[in-house]
Amino acid sequence: MKLKAVFNRDGGTFKTTDMDAYCARADEIFRAAGHEISFDVVAGRDVVERLEASAREEGLDALIAGGGDGTISAAAGIAWKAGIPLGVVPAGTMNLFARSLKLPLDIHAVLETLSEGRVQSVDIATVNDRPFVHQFSAGLHARMVRMRNAMDFASRLGKMRASTRAALGVMLRPSRFEVVFDIDHDGRNEHRVVSAISVSNNPFGENPLFFADDLTSGKLGVYLADPLKPVGVAKLALDILRGRLKDNEAVNATTAERVRLHFPKRRHGALCVVDGELLRMPRDVDIRVHAGELKVLVPAAAPPSA
């Protein structure tokens, strides 16, 4: 295969990695597996532009992206539109998409896995035509991300500490807002007051990090949390840490292929989160799953036992 790797040198683990040595080792591994590969190591501000340019290269068989969840989400959307497979090098804090793909989370170990991997079709979703691989969220999560981003942190550990402080801040002042939603065009527009909404690309698994165990169900996971007081947010946080989100009494969970949301009293400056990125909240949101339309490199199937 002819491969192109684009690495975000500002992404998580790569900040403290000798990228010349890393690319040299990656070159050895992929060439030993019979592939032709080239590398671009760029600053975070340039990574999307370089990914888009790389995806247009003639004769490219697959695109490999290295960085945090934001980089990988952008790369997935670019690879999807270009119709080429994506390989993921997880160099971020959470690496949620890599976890769903069952890839090694070590940036060195994943090289051999990708070089010997196979192409699999998985689902990708869009929110108002913007691709995402993890989730759209509004309410509690968006407030937490906004508070965390306002803090200073220069490392992975610092980001985790900032997230903890932001979570405590949100717990003391829970969100509360109105939403009208239509699931799978069933003709029943339901009006509710909630503290949080999350719509994920495939339902979340039983884990505290909110990632899907399976990316091939062809379904969105839809989660709405009833209006919560501080003690209710604390109980929700505890259930999340136990990997039992759907068991929480305030959470209503279902699946769908398409979800339409309308925020009739959206405040000026209201924000949402799409794959970890804070965005201005639209008044109307249309979320769809595109079943099996994204091609990715995954670990080769284990050989059958004797």
Side-chain angles (χ1 to χ4, degrees):
M1 297 176 71
K2 179 182 178 182
L3 309 173
K4 179 63 173 286
V6 178
F7 296 147
N8 180 357
R9 69 176 180 225
D10 298 325
T13 310
F14 283 158
K15 289 181 180 179
T16 55
T17 299
D18 182 337
M19 295 306 295
D20 289 336
Y22 183 77
C23 290
R25 178 58 181 153
D27 185 71
E28 291 178 5
I29 291 172
F30 279 94
R31 290 188 184 279
H35 305 297
E36 175 188 344
I37 189 168
S38 59
F39 302 89
D40 281 338
V41 180
V42 299
R45 65 178 178 273
D46 300 322
V47 71
V48 171
E49 180 181 355
R50 192 62 58 89
L51 285 166
E52 290 175 337
S54 298
R56 293 193 295 267
E57 291 185 10
E58 187 174 352
L60 190 69
D61 293 308
L63 179 66
I64 294 178
D69 286 327
T71 296
I72 301 307
S73 177
I78 292 167
W80 173 51
K81 291 178 180 178
I84 57 176
L86 173 70
V88 174
V89 175
T93 303
M94 296 300 182
N95 303 309
L96 299 169
F97 193 52
R99 292 176 189 269
S100 292
L101 297 177
K102 311 297 191 296
L103 292 170
L105 301 183
D106 179 84
I107 61 172
H108 301 281
V110 77
L111 295 175
E112 289 199 11
T113 299
L114 293 175
S115 72
E116 300 171 355
R118 60 187 175 88
V119 175
Q120 179 180 346
S121 295
V122 299
D123 305 337
I124 189 169
T126 54
V127 51
N128 289 359
D129 296 325
R130 176 192 176 103
F132 70 94
V133 293
H134 181 47
Q135 73 167 328
F136 162 91
S137 61
L140 294 175
H141 183 224
R143 284 192 61 199
M144 189 186 78
V145 172
R146 180 170 58 182
M147 293 175 67
R148 183 196 66 197
N149 289 355
M151 302 175 191
D152 293 327
F153 54 88
S155 66
R156 182 173 181 170
L157 182 59
K159 184 176 182 179
M160 294 173 69
R161 288 173 176 167
S163 296
T164 301
R165 292 171 58 193
L168 291 173
V170 169
M171 189 180 299
L172 295 175
R173 295 182 59 194
S175 306
R176 184 185 178 96
F177 57 99
E178 294 183 41
V179 61
V180 179
F181 59 93
D182 175 18
I183 295 179
D184 282 341
H185 295 286
D186 63 3
R188 295 180 298 170
N189 287 342
E190 187 171 346
H191 182 283
R192 295 183 61 173
V193 177
V194 298
S195 279
I197 293 174
S198 178
V199 182
S200 58
N201 175 33
N202 283 257
F204 294 137
E206 299 296 326
N207 61 76
L209 294 181
F210 283 178
F211 64 88
D213 291 332
D214 176 19
L215 290 172
T216 64
S217 74
K219 296 288 186 179
L220 301 167
V222 185
Y223 307 90
L224 295 95
D226 294 334
L228 296 170
K229 295 181 178 180
V231 65
V233 180
K235 290 180 179 178
L236 177 60
L238 179 60
D239 283 336
I240 289 172
L241 290 172
R242 296 164 60 203
R244 302 182 65 178
L245 169 70
K246 288 176 277 191
D247 293 338
N248 186 274
E249 60 186 12
V251 173
N252 297 273
T254 188
T255 60
E257 295 178 8
R258 185 175 183 181
V259 178
R260 287 181 170 176
L261 305 173
H262 172 66
F263 301 96
K265 297 182 179 180
R266 181 199 59 172
R267 295 191 301 270
H268 178 73
L271 300 174
C272 62
V273 175
V274 178
D275 280 356
E277 183 178 355
L278 272 176
L279 302 171
R280 186 75 65 186
M281 170 77 83
R283 186 173 296 277
D284 294 286
V285 175
D286 185 3
I287 305 174
R288 310 183 189 199
V289 66
H290 304 268
E293 292 191 13
L294 175 64
K295 295 179 174 62
V296 292
L297 294 177
V298 298
S305 64

